[in-house]
Amino acid sequence: MAFSLRIALICGLFVFFVLHCAHGDLTYSVEEELKHGSVIGNIAKDLGLDFGRLAARKARVEMEGTDKQYITINQKNGDVVVVGRIDREELCGEKPTCVLKFDLLLENPLELQRLSLQVQDINDNSPVFQKDVMKLEIRESAVKGARYRVTAAHDSDIGQNSVQSYVLNQNAHFVFNIQTSSSGSKYGELVLDKELDREDQNELRLLLTAVDGGSPPKSGTVVIHVTVLDANDNAPVFTESVYSARLPENSPINTPVVTVSATDADDGVNGEVTYEFSQLSDKAGKLFSIDQKSGVIFVTGDVDYEEGPRYEVMIEAKDGYGLTSEIKLIIDIIDVNDNAPVINLKSLSNPVPENAPPGTEVGIINVQDRDSEKNRQVRCSIQQNVPFKLVPSIKNYYSLVTTGQLDRELVSDYNITISATDEGSPPLSSSKTVQLSVADINDNPPVFEEQSYSAYVSENNKPGSTLCSVSARDPDWRQNGTVIYSLLPAEVNGASVSSYLSVNGDTGVIHAVRSFDYEQLRSFKVHVMARDNGSPPLSSNVTVSVFVSDVNDNSPQILYPAPEGSSFMTELVPKAAHGGSLVSKVIAVDADSGQNAWLSYQIVRSTDPGLFTIGVHSGEIRTQRDISESDSMKQNLIVAVKDNGQPSLSATCAMYLLISDNLAEVPELKDISYDDKNSKLTSYLIIALVCVSTFFLTFIIIILGVRFCRRRKPRLLFDGAVAIPGAYLPPNYADVDGTGTLRSSYNYDAYLTTGSRTSDFKFVSSYNDNTLPADQTLKKSPSEFADVFGSCDSSPEKHQLYPHLDDIFSQFLCHRTTFTFHKPLFRKCVEINRKKITKQVGMRNNLTFLWSV
């Protein structure tokens, strides 16, 4: 039957698991001491929440004022589950109702609900007497109906589960009754039902059993030891009906709380009063003690307001022979500001993207203070100068939000110190440091260390050689800061830039793909792009200027005299030439530049070593002394032209000089012999000299006639002009002033006295007037020379720039071919221009011969 009653009681309790939603509170009723994992209710159904959103909103419950967990929420189905021991007696003591308050917290958005848990008592505690043995001393004079107070049993349970009845074992003298005091507490009384006779029985042992109303009931026993004495008819009387005291928490041990006092009208031993606690909870028993003789109550433990704000104890006064009285003592604990605020980090979004806009919520902070009233009022703030602030939210919750734009490249991590201070006196404070990282986004393009780069490479470099290195930095993190280098598409001299250079994508080292030639390409520019690996990627460009430096890889090229085989060059030197006279000039160029193109000239072999010298840097061939009759008519010079490169390169040429005063001596050249390869050309030259001699004989007669008419004027035989403009030089040849190459143009005036084969041959100041343009004078072969000036019978249009020189061109060609060109060209010129030459000789006093090289 007891089992059936228990089942009925449990079913009745579960009927009371009813949801109440008044004023926004959610209330559940539950028995104490439920097993771990027991389901109390379902908040998803009761609040109409979506099951799937519970986990995302981080649903949880927290009990205010304690860190202990009694219940939790299953985020999968919304069940409220027991996770800790719920002991009503520990949580609420003797209160008739026991309600636990919880905060139901939901995030995203932040929502707070109040959850109340009404704990129902179960019969889990047995009645307990203050002592195992109670001693009573009763005088035998006691009359029937005399009452002796017995300390009631204490049961921590409440209501029906508390002590409901007492059972006294069968005896002949006493019965037991339950009484209620003016304060509402219950106590027992032994009622004398039959007078005692000490001589018959001087002591009695009675067994008193206290039974509660639980199902099944529980009980506790005490032995009442009755000693029969002589009569004592007055019990102690307290001075007050109820004692009260106020005690600050944290009072030191042995601090007196209050003094109780009772008096007994009896004399002697019957009037001596002693004090003791008659009813005391376990918690109060650890905190307080009483002096049995003085009635002073002392502190014996750590008094903490947060553990218990009030204590109620029952104090018993007993005289020497067992008469007692009881009084209630109420001790109120005064709160002291002894608890610093506690900061709890409830939620944190870590890391935070650096592009998070101001006002982004990154965390939720909860602050608790176990003190009461003003001592629990808390102010929160952030100490450092950081782009974050605390925004008060619900109750004692704060939101941690951003106040400005974050930049990971400036600050990647924040240590945010949150300070909480209460309003107690003196105030207490605490702090908590929150570590927050900033997540990187690709917001910085690579930046080159230099605005532009220059690379210098010598020509004829090896393919694959390193030219230079570019470097770019990206302050972003990981792949956002990983830089890859590449060449931007472009063309250099009509070819793709990738056929000239390549760049290492990881290191930025630029390599040459091919060998460079300074004479073809001296410098060029390329653009290198640095791109990061972000999404989307960012990039920047830089210009790399590549300069090719010259290497001495070109030998000097001799333009005049022309190489043997293409023409046969012979210079006439008058026998009357004085020392230092300009005879001829070696003209050479070098395709290199700078010092590699600085040319020097040297005669390495000559017929008469002491007769001629050559300018080291000008190439001008001059006489070292006056020419004498003993000097050989034919002079062969071998000239070496050397550049200033390292190592030096050189070239040689042969210069043929003929010492003669006039062309009448040309037949004497028949004995001049050259190499076998020039034998035919020599024959042509002899025939040409004979023909030209006839011209000169006629010309001398005319000069003699003119001289008689104008004795004071010198008879000019011929003028020579040589024009070597730099513009004719091949395009790859550098025009280096002062390096030894002949400057733009030279003109030579030559004239003879009348009618003398030994006339003086003077070289006077140079001049530049009336010289031919370079493109019409400087050629390497007779055929090219003829192409420029035209054939001897060319029309005047071919010389319209210089029409007054038309006939002179023809005469010059015919005269010059005597020494330089082959026989057919000479014969053609003589036949066509025979009449023109005769006419010109008669009209002019001098002739201007243009000497070209």
Side-chain angles (χ1 to χ4, degrees):
M1 181 176 179
F3 180 76
S4 301
L5 289 174
R6 181 173 177 83
I7 296 298
L9 179 61
I10 293 175
C11 293
L13 289 173
F14 275 97
V15 169
F16 285 96
F17 290 170
V18 180
L19 175 66
H20 302 281
C21 298
H23 304 290
D25 287 352
L26 188 64
T27 304
Y28 292 98
S29 181
V30 61
E31 286 185 347
E32 64 172 328
E33 303 295 344
L34 283 180
K35 293 181 179 180
H36 186 281
S38 300
V39 177
I40 297 175
N42 190 290
I43 63 167
K45 292 181 180 179
D46 298 336
L47 295 179
L49 300 176
D50 185 6
F51 290 96
R53 289 282 295 162
L54 290 177
R57 298 189 65 183
K58 301 179 181 178
R60 57 187 179 273
V61 291
E62 297 176 354
M63 187 175 181
E64 183 178 8
T66 181
D67 294 332
K68 294 182 179 180
Q69 272 197 319
Y70 296 98
I71 60 175
T72 188
I73 296 177
N74 188 330
Q75 295 185 354
K76 294 182 179 179
N77 52 27
D79 287 339
V80 181
V81 182
V82 176
V83 295
R85 179 172 177 253
I86 302 176
D87 186 357
R88 191 202 65 79
E89 288 73 34
E90 180 182 354
L91 296 173
C92 300
E94 296 180 0
K95 293 181 181 179
T97 59
C98 183
V99 179
L100 302 182
K101 300 290 187 180
F102 295 90
D103 289 335
L104 172 59
L105 186 64
L106 300 170
E107 296 184 17
N108 298 321
L110 184 62
E111 181 180 353
L112 184 66
Q113 296 283 346
R114 295 290 294 177
L115 175 62
S116 299
L117 192 64
Q118 186 171 359
V119 181
Q120 302 295 332
D121 183 50
I122 65 172
N123 190 26
D124 59 337
N125 292 282
S126 300
V128 178
F129 287 92
Q130 188 73 24
K131 298 179 179 179
D132 294 335
V133 178
M134 298 177 60
K135 294 181 179 181
L136 289 177
E137 296 177 346
I138 303 174
R139 289 188 179 272
E140 60 181 9
S141 60
V143 297
K144 183 179 179 180
R147 299 177 180 272
Y148 303 94
R149 187 164 181 162
V150 176
T151 303
H154 175 69
D155 195 333
S156 298
D157 297 325
I158 61 172
Q160 187 67 26
N161 295 325
S162 63
V163 177
Q164 298 298 319
S165 63
Y166 291 86
V167 178
L168 184 64
N169 66 327
Q170 191 68 31
N171 66 88
H173 296 279
F174 295 95
V175 294
F176 190 81
N177 291 332
I178 297 296
Q179 301 293 333
T180 303
S181 66
S182 59
S183 63
S185 62
K186 291 184 178 183
Y187 63 93
E189 288 182 337
L190 277 178
V191 180
L192 185 61
D193 189 53
K194 182 182 179 180
E195 291 80 3
L196 297 173
D197 186 359
R198 191 183 64 84
E199 291 72 24
D200 183 34
Q201 188 177 8
N202 62 353
E203 63 180 14
L204 298 173
R205 287 187 177 273
L206 305 176
L207 182 62
L208 179 62
T209 302
V211 181
D212 62 21
S215 179
K218 294 185 177 183
S219 62
T221 61
V222 65
V223 175
I224 302 175
H225 185 197
V226 179
T227 301
V228 180
L229 301 175
D230 288 335
N232 181 22
D233 55 353
N234 290 292
V237 178
F238 282 97
T239 57
E240 295 182 18
S241 59
V242 176
Y243 285 91
S244 63
R246 291 173 62 83
L247 178 66
E249 66 173 326
N250 303 325
S251 295
I253 295 176
N254 295 325
T255 299
V257 179
V258 68
T259 301
V260 297
S261 177
T263 59
D264 194 312
D266 295 326
D267 293 331
V269 176
N270 293 331
E272 293 179 0
V273 181
T274 59
Y275 305 93
E276 63 181 15
F277 292 120
S278 62
Q279 186 174 339
L280 189 68
S281 66
D282 294 338
K283 185 181 293 184
K286 296 177 181 179
L287 299 178
F288 305 104
S289 66
I290 188 169
D291 190 301
Q292 291 183 345
K293 292 183 178 182
S294 64
V296 179
I297 299 173
F298 297 95
V299 175
T300 58
D302 295 330
V303 181
D304 190 351
Y305 173 85
E306 288 71 40
E307 293 294 333
R310 169 178 282 198
Y311 295 94
E312 294 182 1
V313 298
M314 300 303 294
I315 300 175
E316 181 183 70
K318 183 172 64 173
D319 62 18
Y321 288 99
L323 294 179
T324 63
S325 62
E326 191 178 53
I327 195 69
K328 179 185 286 188
L329 171 61
I330 300 174
I331 304 175
D332 290 319
I333 307 301
I334 302 173
D335 183 39
V336 175
N337 189 30
D338 60 341
N339 291 282
V342 178
I343 302 173
N344 298 309
L345 180 63
K346 297 298 183 181
S347 178
L348 184 65
S349 299
N350 193 16
V352 181
E354 62 178 320
N355 62 345
T360 301
E361 182 180 85
V362 297
I364 297 175
I365 306 298
N366 175 255
V367 182
Q368 298 286 345
D369 194 315
R370 298 181 63 192
D371 295 322
S372 63
E373 298 180 355
K374 188 177 181 180
N375 293 333
R376 70 179 302 169
Q377 301 299 319
V378 180
R379 300 186 306 272
C380 285
S381 62
I382 295 178
Q383 294 182 354
Q384 302 101 324
N385 184 20
V386 294
F388 299 93
K389 68 177 180 179
L390 289 176
V391 178
S393 184
I394 303 170
K395 199 178 177 182
N396 50 357
Y397 286 89
Y398 296 84
S399 295
L400 181 63
V401 300
T402 60
T403 60
Q405 191 68 42
L406 304 178
D407 190 346
R408 191 204 66 82
E409 288 70 44
L410 296 178
V411 181
S412 60
D413 295 282
Y414 289 94
N415 290 326
I416 305 170
T417 302
I418 300 173
S419 176
T421 305
D422 60 27
E423 295 185 2
S425 181
L428 299 178
S429 62
S430 62
S431 62
K432 186 178 184 66
T433 300
V434 178
Q435 294 183 346
L436 191 65
S437 299
V438 181
D440 184 54
I441 64 170
N442 192 28
D443 58 344
N444 290 283
V447 177
F448 284 94
E449 295 180 352
E450 304 289 342
Q451 293 183 351
S452 62
Y453 290 85
S454 297
Y456 299 89
V457 58
S458 298
E459 63 174 329
N460 304 323
N461 59 292
K462 294 182 180 180
S465 58
T466 300
L467 301 187
C468 69
S469 176
V470 298
S471 179
R473 296 289 181 265
D474 194 320
D476 291 325
W477 195 44
R478 290 187 176 175
Q479 67 177 12
N480 293 334
T482 301
V483 180
I484 299 175
Y485 304 92
S486 61
L487 293 174
L488 290 180
E491 289 190 355
V492 177
N493 281 359
S496 173
V497 68
S498 60
S499 64
Y500 287 85
L501 301 177
S502 67
V503 62
N504 188 305
D506 296 326
T507 63
V509 176
I510 298 177
H511 301 276
V513 175
R514 63 166 65 176
S515 178
F516 297 111
D517 187 355
Y518 175 82
E519 287 71 39
Q520 294 182 359
L521 182 65
R522 299 190 178 186
S523 65
F524 61 93
K525 294 182 178 181
V526 297
H527 297 283
V528 178
M529 178 180 69
R531 176 180 59 83
D532 58 31
N533 259 343
S535 180
L538 301 177
S539 63
S540 60
N541 301 334
V542 71
T543 300
V544 178
S545 300
V546 180
F547 299 95
V548 182
S549 59
D550 184 46
V551 173
N552 191 31
D553 59 344
N554 291 280
S555 301
Q557 182 177 353
I558 299 175
L559 303 181
Y560 182 84
E564 296 184 32
S566 59
S567 64
F568 182 72
M569 308 298 292
T570 301
E571 295 289 346
L572 289 178
V573 179
K575 293 181 179 180
H578 299 291
S581 299
L582 178 63
V583 175
S584 183
K585 177 178 175 65
V586 176
I587 300 175
V589 293
D590 194 312
D592 295 320
S593 64
Q595 68 176 9
N596 294 330
W598 296 351
L599 302 182
S600 58
Y601 301 84
Q602 179 183 6
I603 298 176
V604 297
R605 192 176 64 188
S606 63
T607 302
D608 190 347
L611 181 57
F612 298 100
T613 184
I614 189 169
V616 176
H617 300 297
S618 64
E620 294 178 348
I621 299 175
R622 296 179 180 272
T623 57
Q624 292 192 79
R625 54 178 176 79
D626 294 343
I627 295 177
S628 62
E629 292 294 338
S630 62
D631 291 329
S632 174
M633 179 179 292
K634 58 180 181 177
Q635 297 287 332
N636 298 334
L637 305 179
I638 303 300
V639 179
V641 182
K642 181 173 65 175
D643 60 28
N644 198 38
Q646 293 295 332
S648 176
L649 301 178
S650 62
T652 59
C653 66
M655 176 68 72
Y656 303 104
L657 302 178
L658 186 64
I659 299 177
S660 176
D661 282 334
N662 52 51
L663 295 180
E665 299 176 358
V666 170
E668 299 176 8
L669 298 176
K670 61 184 177 179
D671 296 331
I672 298 177
S673 62
Y674 297 99
D675 297 338
D676 293 339
K677 61 180 181 179
N678 294 326
S679 59
K680 293 184 178 180
L681 184 59
T682 303
S683 302
Y684 298 150
L685 181 60
I686 294 174
I687 298 174
L689 288 174
V690 172
C691 296
V692 172
S693 297
T694 305
F695 286 133
F696 271 86
L697 291 174
T698 305
F699 178 74
I700 291 172
I701 295 172
I702 296 173
I703 291 297
L704 292 175
V706 174
R707 188 176 180 81
F708 284 112
C709 297
R710 299 178 182 180
R711 292 181 180 271
R712 295 182 180 180
K713 293 183 179 182
R715 308 291 176 90
L716 180 62
L717 178 63
F718 65 89
D719 294 334
V722 181
I724 322 288
Y728 172 76
L729 302 180
N732 290 336
Y733 286 68
D735 184 12
V736 182
D737 190 16
T739 60
T741 303
L742 184 64
R743 285 166 23 184
S744 298
S745 59
Y746 280 86
N747 297 311
Y748 305 108
D749 293 338
Y751 49 91
L752 300 173
T753 57
T754 304
S756 174
R757 291 185 58 187
T758 61
S759 301
D760 295 332
F761 192 80
K762 297 177 63 178
F763 293 82
V764 296
S765 62
S766 64
Y767 63 95
N768 298 323
D769 296 333
N770 299 329
T771 60
L772 294 178
D775 57 351
Q776 296 181 4
T777 61
L778 186 57
K779 292 296 174 179
K780 297 181 180 180
S781 66
S783 60
E784 292 174 353
F785 189 92
D787 291 340
V788 174
F789 288 92
S791 62
C792 294
D793 59 349
S794 59
S795 62
E797 288 79 2
K798 294 186 180 180
H799 306 292
Q800 50 187 315
L801 292 176
Y802 304 96
H804 61 286
L805 298 177
D806 183 78
D807 292 336
I808 299 177
F809 289 156
S810 299
Q811 296 173 25
F812 169 74
L813 286 174
C814 293
H815 171 71
R816 197 60 175 168
T817 51
T818 305
F819 301 95
T820 60
F821 301 135
H822 49 80
K823 181 177 181 181
L825 180 59
F826 168 73
R827 184 183 296 110
K828 183 177 181 181
C829 290
V830 171
E831 292 176 356
I832 295 175
N833 294 291
R834 182 180 299 145
K835 294 181 180 181
K836 291 183 179 181
I837 292 174
T838 304
K839 183 178 179 180
Q840 293 293 335
V841 171
M843 294 177 60
R844 300 182 183 178
N845 294 328
N846 56 30
L847 280 175
T848 300
F849 291 91
L850 300 180
W851 297 71
S852 64
V853 292

